[in-house]
Amino acid sequence: MSTELPVLTKKDFQSDQEVRWCPGCGDYAILSCVQTIFPQLGIPKEKFVVVSGIGCSSRFPYYMDTYGFHGIHGRAPAIASGLKATRPDLEVWIATGDGDAMSIGGNHLIHTLRRNMDVKILMFNNRIYGLTKGQYSPTSELGKVTKSTPVGSVDYPFNPLSLALGAGATFVARGVDIMQPHLRDLLTRAHAHTGSAFVEIYQNCNIFNDKAFEYMSAKQVRADQTVEVLHGEPLVFGKEKDKGIRLKGTALEVIHFADGHGPEDCLVWDETDPNPALAFMMAQLGPPDFPTPIGVMRNVALPSYDYGLVHQLEEEIESKGSGKLEDLIYSGELWTVGEGGQVTRGKAVADPG
Amino acid sequence: MSPETKAKSASANRLEPVDEVVVRFAGDSGDGMQLTGTQFTSTSALLGNDLATLPEFPAEIRAPQGTLAGVSAFQVRIADYDIHTPGDAPDCLVAMNPAALKKSIGDLKQNGVLIVNTDEFHDRNLKKAGYETNPLDDGSLAAYRVTQAEITTMTHRALEEMDLDSKAKNRSRNMFALGMVYYLFSRPLDTTVEWLELKFAKRPEIAEANVKVLKAGWNFCEITDQFQVRYEVEPAKLAPGVYRNIMGNSALSIGLVAASRRSGLPLFLGSYPITPASEILHELAGYKTFGVSTFQAEDEIAAMAAAIGAAFGGALAVTSTSGPGLALKSEAINLAIMTELPVIICNIQRGGPSTGLPTMTEQSDLLQAMFGRNGESPLPVIAASSPADCFDTAIEAARLAVSYMVPVILLSDGYIANGSEPWRLPKIEDLPDLRVDFRTDPEGFEPYMRDEKTLARPWAIPGTPGLEHRVGGLEKENVTGNVSYDPANHQLMTDLRAEKVARIADEIPPMSIDGPDEGKLLVLGWGSTKGAITGGAQKARAEGLEVSCAHLRYINPFPSDLGDVLSRFEHVLIPEMNMGQLALLIRARYLREVVSMTKVQGKPFFRSEIQAKIHEILGAENVH
Ligand SMILES: Cc1ncc(C[n+]2csc(CCOP(=O)(O)OP(=O)(O)O)c2C)c(N)n1
Ligand code: SF4
Ligand SMILES: [Mg+2]
């Protein structure tokens, strides 16, 4: 094994394929972010695999100069699971959309999270079906007018963070396409986590759902409309850092420091809390009464599925020895038919014919 | 008639040699009939008989006691010659309760031996089974040689001195029945005694109780002279070698492990439980020392998708299922076709459509396997023809998958999955060498470049420096593997994917024909019908009819000489457990009329049915 890894750069992760997203699409920013952090992770380039489903966002692997798998709609977590379970040495990332992950692939998503498979899931949430040209998605807000809901949708959306937390995900975070340094930090931390990491990324689809996240990501409002969740820090937000979130009874509430409160009254975030209840409450926050939380909601250590699987194999081999095919085939109640047709029990010493 | 009052010398009855015998053990699910049948099988195997078995389970796990729905049965046929099926009609039926009697009596041969546990023939059980009068009294069993035994009572009497609760005592009454049948067919008890002692090594009192009851069953028959005639079946002349009795799903699982070892690839199974395929998941889950990873997925789609992921990573990837699950896998199977990755898809067929008949057999997924996907999506389809053949078929499926870089569907069905037969064990060194070469050289590498002979693309697995590439379900440009919507390229790739599968025909061995190579009638089959077809054709031939038979392991592609073979026969008969799916393929491919013989009753063909059909086609005047 070589001790020194070649120095990798962003360019090493750019494939020769022409990027075909609409100009202005938020996917570009996410791609750039991933291409920036991959070379910094200290992993040989050939160990990366990016797996995706179907959707605009799922074109992602084609633009990464790594091993890549553009799967079928919704099934990326399942494909990635089979890969990671047999090849724990690989660094497996998933690019998926809100429709891909939460609609057709909802089943695979929750089970992958529940198993704590060591894969990193980037869910590009544009609250719309981009590739199929603009139908509402499972994260579109109630009443959304789209091609398939001309007078507004009547079904309630998923909150992706809540769904992931409910599925038992061990790493749950939210970032925004245009908040690059923050997103880079999140993705680096997702990598450092052992087990499933679920990162919801608010992504603008400027063609079918433009400005969907303007209410919280626009420069003028961002500081007041978001709260960055930081481990060990009080939940303080606002342009002037003059507001915070505290726990009152069984509910969260916004407090204004102008009213005599201070950071010491705010909830101090503990992302490692084994009880996901507070994270679940945080995930619910958002307009009109609350800022939108971003950052790492949950980060707890638990052995991953792939580790468990490999470990079982190793333990069995360790305690019983590596299986011998001959023993497997020649097991059970054997009898031997000799050249003359005589039958004896077991495997006769002189193995005939 | 207690043993005391009717004691008589054992030598009074006659010992009659017969060439074969079919026994069916039938009882309530809780009566241990599968175990009883398996013991009779083991004992007979060690006596050197050829044999075949067929279990029949109730669909419900805990069907109400004493009902028809709760009947569990095990049929075994033993013979002193080479047999192919578990037999049409039993010569001997053990009925542990009225429901079991009702369900099986119609199959028992005229003048066959019927053993009933009279203790269970009380009003409540008779009613549950739908009997208005007691068949033991109303003369309806006059056509059979009935042995009435108070099996439950006598079991308890045998265990009088033992400190066991009544439930535990009841549980051993199947051994009484087994003891009786051992007596009837002159089988020694020692195999079962040894098995009981081993199985209950930790609970010697249970072993002792079972052995006591087993012997009590035998002694009851001997002392009371239950049967005028006892039978004896001599050992069969099996080819020299080491044997074990094996069920299809087990042989298939071991075959997959063998393929893994012979290829040097770790075995990965992605699966979702479904009858009658679950045993493959169970069995492979136990082979961890062989490096086998099993992944119980959230559904069949995930199971297939995970297998594809594992194949991409360089594993010998397998998924196992039954018809409804295969339907769910269709889209993902196409992904494997498009990405040209090797996956073995084992479909253990059952009665359909929809949930259908989960515990009963059928061959009705042939067309689904062939065509049940969107687009032009040919893949190799091969079928196992008997329980032991599942081993070889699994290895062949693996060989095709890795040498052609293609998903392969392996068809088995409930009949051979749960049925058993003696398996002549192969020598390890005789198993095919399946070693594969992963691509490692970046020089000139393109993900969709092709092997000249097989058209396979290189298997370049993640972790290999310099071979980073992307695959996916969008149409790929040949050689480069880049996404391509070019019309001519799509035509080319469609042709290449078809050609790759078609080329397999070049290495399929010529068809082997049982009987004359040409003539009046060829009976052509595929899959699990082999036993019945071979048996039926051989019987008919022995009667002087001019009939041959041949069996297909490869359904896609067909063997290259199949057209020629078909043309050498005046008539072709195709029996299948579906509504004529192979017949449809043969007609379409060879523009040749065939006689389609179909059966969808959840049961395999009887040899006699095939034989009768042969007679019907050839007519009596053809007997010479
Ligand atoms: C089985 C199947 N059903 C439907 C589609 C059509 N389809 C492709 S992408 C998509 C939705 C994509 O939405 P999302 O996952 O949010 O991705 P985005 O395009 O917004 O990034 C749909 C419905 C498909 N490709 N396959
Ligand atoms: S449709 Fe929307 S999500 Fe898709 S590429 Fe265009 S802007 Fe991006
Ligand atoms: Mg979307």
Side-chain angles (χ1 to χ4, degrees):
Chain A
M1 273 204 111
S2 73
T3 43
E4 231 167 281
L5 290 170
V7 179
L8 294 170
T9 65
K10 182 171 183 179
K11 243 180 133 12
D12 290 311
F13 288 91
Q14 293 168 338
S15 79
D16 60 356
Q17 298 298 295
E18 183 196 345
V19 185
R20 298 252 187 97
W21 289 310
C22 306
C25 175
D27 291 352
Y28 284 95
I30 304 171
L31 176 64
S32 164
C33 192
V34 172
Q35 286 170 338
T36 305
I37 66 143
F38 270 22
Q40 300 167 3
L41 300 180
I43 296 170
K45 179 174 151 170
E46 66 272 12
K47 293 281 189 183
F48 285 98
V49 186
V50 184
V51 183
S52 69
I54 298 290
C56 294
S57 38
S58 288
R59 293 296 170 93
F60 205 89
Y62 290 122
Y63 309 136
M64 295 290 301
D65 194 14
T66 60
Y67 283 94
F69 206 119
H70 182 215
I72 42 177
H73 201 15
R75 321 297 174 198
I79 296 167
S81 293
L83 178 62
K84 184 69 188 181
T86 45
R87 293 289 307 277
D89 60 308
L90 300 174
E91 175 74 14
V92 180
W93 288 55
I94 294 172
T96 179
D98 43 321
D100 195 55
M102 313 227 115
S103 192
I104 192 165
N107 199 28
H108 311 308
L109 178 74
I110 56 174
H111 289 281
T112 302
L113 295 175
R114 148 180 97 74
R115 293 186 185 109
N116 202 31
M117 193 69 77
D118 191 9
V119 294
K120 315 302 154 196
I121 304 171
L122 311 186
M123 195 192 84
F124 299 36
N125 185 5
N126 54 12
R127 293 194 179 149
I128 201 83
Y129 285 180
L131 192 70
T132 45
K133 301 193 170 70
Q135 301 82 8
Y136 80 117
S137 90
T139 56
S140 298
E141 57 282 14
L142 181 69
K144 180 106 182 158
V145 174
T146 69
K147 282 189 183 140
S148 58
T149 50
V151 292
S153 68
V154 293
D155 45 340
Y156 303 100
F158 268 137
N159 177 325
L161 299 184
S162 309
L163 185 75
L165 289 165
T170 51
F171 184 99
V172 179
R174 179 188 279 150
V176 185
D177 53 2
I178 59 169
M179 295 169 69
Q180 286 279 307
H182 181 251
L183 186 58
R184 281 201 294 272
D185 179 51
L186 285 188
L187 300 189
T188 310
R189 297 198 55 203
H191 155 73
H193 174 74
T194 303
S196 302
F198 178 80
V199 184
E200 177 190 21
I201 305 171
Y202 282 172
Q203 172 246 322
N204 193 42
C205 166
N206 53 310
I207 302 297
F208 297 113
N209 198 16
D210 197 19
K211 302 192 175 31
F213 304 102
E214 280 271 296
Y215 70 89
M216 54 80 73
S217 65
K219 282 250 154 56
Q220 331 67 276
V221 300
R222 193 183 289 176
D224 288 310
Q225 288 303 325
T226 60
V227 53
E228 189 179 349
V229 170
L230 288 167
H231 181 62
E233 302 281 332
L235 296 168
V236 174
F237 68 103
K239 209 185 242 146
E240 313 296 335
K241 296 273 174 226
D242 57 348
K243 288 176 277 200
I245 291 171
R246 76 167 177 191
L247 183 65
K248 179 134 189 263
T250 58
L252 297 173
E253 68 170 14
V254 174
I255 50 176
H256 297 263
F257 298 169
D259 301 340
H261 300 293
E264 64 282 5
D265 299 318
C266 298
L267 180 65
V268 175
W269 193 247
D270 178 9
E271 65 186 25
T272 64
D273 188 349
N275 181 348
L278 273 176
F280 196 81
M281 285 166 74
M282 275 304 287
Q284 305 301 308
L285 301 191
D289 301 328
F290 289 92
T292 301
I294 58 171
V296 179
M297 310 290 144
R298 185 164 208 249
N299 182 14
V300 297
L302 215 65
S304 66
Y305 177 97
D306 39 292
Y307 170 80
L309 186 72
V310 170
H311 193 67
Q312 271 193 344
L313 297 192
E314 286 172 355
E315 281 205 323
E316 285 278 291
I317 292 170
E318 173 102 347
S319 67
K320 298 177 186 158
S322 177
K324 275 183 65 191
L325 184 56
E326 173 111 29
D327 296 344
L328 177 63
I329 292 177
Y330 288 77
S331 66
E333 279 176 19
L334 306 181
W335 71 96
T336 303
V337 176
E339 293 295 348
Q342 73 282 10
V343 180
T344 45
R345 243 175 132 148
K347 188 183 173 188
V349 193
D351 189 355
Chain B
M1 34 170 190
S2 71
E4 294 80 36
T5 54
K6 232 193 149 204
K8 219 177 167 192
S9 159
S11 56
N13 49 27
R14 188 151 58 79
L15 200 59
E16 189 180 309
V18 284
D19 60 351
E20 64 160 279
V21 124
V22 178
V23 184
R24 186 184 300 175
F25 298 91
D28 201 60
S29 318
D31 283 340
M33 291 296 100
Q34 304 299 322
L35 190 152
T36 313
T38 310
Q39 279 307 306
F40 187 80
T41 306
S42 294
T43 295
S44 301
L46 293 176
L47 289 177
N49 297 127
D50 194 9
L51 54 89
T53 73
L54 177 67
E56 191 184 309
F57 315 105
E60 286 79 22
I61 306 300
R62 298 264 184 276
Q65 230 179 4
T67 61
L68 292 170
V71 174
S72 165
F74 190 100
Q75 181 162 315
V76 44
R77 176 175 175 215
I78 57 171
D80 68 2
Y81 68 102
D82 179 22
I83 56 167
H84 314 282
T85 71
D88 298 359
D91 301 290
C92 168
L93 170 68
V94 175
M96 296 296 281
N97 70 6
L101 178 70
K102 181 141 197 186
K103 241 185 138 175
S104 283
I105 190 67
D107 296 335
L108 184 62
K109 275 189 193 151
Q110 293 284 309
N111 207 31
V113 176
L114 171 66
I115 298 173
V116 289
N117 177 10
T118 52
D119 286 329
E120 292 294 318
F121 280 67
H122 49 69
D123 286 352
R124 195 155 34 87
N125 273 353
L126 289 166
K127 217 170 126 205
K128 275 196 214 164
Y131 276 119
E132 298 197 338
T133 55
N134 189 340
L136 303 181
D137 308 330
D138 66 9
S140 61
L141 302 175
Y144 313 105
R145 286 179 280 159
V146 186
T147 292
Q148 302 197 18
E150 297 170 313
I151 291 180
T152 312
T153 310
M154 288 190 282
T155 296
H156 279 267
R157 200 172 297 150
L159 299 177
E160 237 158 31
E161 326 245 275
M162 290 208 58
D163 184 22
L164 288 172
D165 62 29
S166 157
K167 230 182 177 171
K169 287 181 179 173
N170 261 347
R171 232 177 275 139
S172 51
R173 65 190 165 188
N174 58 335
M175 287 297 124
F176 196 95
L178 183 60
M180 292 179 72
V181 177
Y182 276 162
Y183 177 83
L184 177 60
F185 295 108
S186 332
R187 321 258 98 185
L189 306 183
D190 53 345
T191 306
T192 297
V193 171
E194 274 170 40
W195 180 84
L196 286 166
E197 283 165 356
L198 201 71
K199 160 129 184 155
F200 296 108
K202 294 220 174 86
R203 303 188 57 194
E205 72 284 5
I206 302 285
E208 191 193 334
N210 276 291
V211 172
K212 267 197 168 141
V213 176
L214 180 72
K215 289 183 176 160
W218 171 287
N219 292 339
F220 163 69
C221 295
E222 181 167 59
I223 295 163
T224 62
D225 200 11
Q226 280 300 318
F227 308 106
Q228 301 124 10
V229 192
R230 290 172 71 198
Y231 302 92
E232 204 168 37
V233 182
E234 289 286 311
K237 277 157 212 70
L238 295 175
V242 182
Y243 287 81
R244 69 187 273 199
N245 192 40
I246 194 100
M247 297 204 285
N249 275 348
S250 189
L252 196 148
S253 306
I254 296 171
L256 292 171
V257 176
S260 161
R261 280 291 152 104
R262 299 296 286 174
S263 63
L265 304 173
L267 188 66
F268 173 85
L269 175 78
S271 190
Y272 188 77
I274 185 168
T275 305
S278 300
E279 293 85 12
I280 298 169
L281 170 62
H282 304 167
E283 183 147 347
L284 288 177
Y287 294 153
K288 298 201 193 309
T289 59
F290 289 87
V292 178
S293 321
T294 52
F295 176 65
Q296 184 175 318
E298 53 272 23
D299 60 26
E300 282 88 347
I301 303 174
M304 180 65 204
I308 293 173
F312 185 58
L316 183 64
V318 185
T319 187
S320 53
T321 192
S322 189
L326 186 66
L328 284 174
K329 289 178 199 292
S330 312
E331 191 199 13
I333 293 173
N334 262 352
L335 180 63
I337 290 179
M338 207 63 163
T339 53
E340 305 191 28
L341 284 168
V343 178
I344 304 154
I345 302 143
C346 305
N347 183 37
I348 318 302
Q349 302 162 94
R350 63 191 217 179
S354 189
T355 311
L357 305 168
T359 58
M360 298 172 92
T361 197
E362 213 162 276
Q363 292 182 299
S364 46
D365 295 344
L366 179 61
L367 294 182
Q368 179 180 212
M370 287 289 294
F371 306 118
R373 293 169 297 281
N374 66 305
E376 292 293 340
S377 51
L379 48 63
V381 177
I382 61 174
S385 60
S386 76
D389 186 53
C390 288
F391 176 82
D392 297 314
T393 310
I395 293 178
E396 177 63 356
R399 190 186 69 81
L400 294 177
V402 297
S403 37
Y404 289 84
M405 291 294 282
V406 70
V408 175
I409 294 185
L410 186 169
L411 294 172
S412 170
D413 62 43
Y415 169 41
I416 52 179
N418 293 315
S420 76
E421 67 176 354
W423 174 30
R424 184 159 166 254
L425 304 178
K427 289 203 169 132
I428 308 299
E429 59 272 22
D430 293 345
L431 297 175
D433 181 353
L434 304 179
R435 264 173 298 178
V436 297
D437 291 317
F438 291 130
R439 174 82 187 206
T440 51
D441 185 5
E443 191 58 39
F445 168 74
E446 298 283 358
Y448 278 72
M449 64 203 296
R450 294 181 185 283
D451 180 271
E452 255 173 53
K453 179 169 166 270
T454 60
L455 296 178
R457 72 176 191 87
W459 200 353
I461 63 170
T464 317
L467 300 189
E468 291 83 358
H469 67 282
R470 276 66 58 192
V471 297
L474 285 171
E475 183 62 286
K476 297 287 174 281
E477 184 179 64
N478 195 33
V479 184
T480 68
N482 290 329
V483 174
S484 166
Y485 303 117
D486 179 66
N489 177 71
H490 179 53
Q491 178 78 57
L492 172 68
M493 291 299 272
T494 305
D495 292 343
L496 280 171
R497 285 187 289 263
E499 173 67 16
K500 189 160 82 155
V501 176
R503 281 196 189 180
I504 291 172
D506 296 344
E507 49 168 27
I508 298 179
M511 300 212 32
S512 112
I513 298 169
D514 182 17
D517 297 352
E518 56 178 26
K520 287 238 155 35
L521 175 62
L522 176 74
V523 189
L524 180 69
W526 69 279
S528 73
T529 51
K530 184 173 185 182
I533 290 176
T534 313
Q538 285 177 355
K539 276 249 165 184
R541 213 161 41 236
E543 290 164 340
L545 293 182
E546 192 185 330
V547 56
S548 305
C549 61
H551 215 71
L552 293 170
R553 164 181 279 177
Y554 302 86
I555 294 158
N556 199 32
F558 282 134
S560 45
D561 62 343
L562 177 56
D564 182 43
V565 167
L566 293 172
S567 70
R568 297 202 299 260
F569 290 88
E570 228 170 275
H571 304 281
V572 174
L573 169 65
I574 302 183
E576 349 174 36
M577 297 188 290
N578 58 44
M579 295 304 282
Q581 301 189 9
L582 177 67
L584 184 90
L585 294 177
I586 296 283
R587 284 175 182 136
R589 170 72 191 274
Y590 299 101
L591 296 178
R592 159 159 210 171
E593 192 36 45
V594 298
V595 182
S596 171
M597 176 183 187
T598 67
K599 180 175 180 182
V600 282
Q601 298 171 9
K603 284 184 180 183
F605 277 106
F606 291 153
R607 180 180 52 160
S608 55
E609 291 171 325
I610 308 282
Q611 198 184 337
K613 190 72 186 177
I614 294 170
H615 273 272
E616 184 193 314
I617 294 172
L618 292 180
E621 71 275 12
N622 282 302
V623 181
H624 42 245

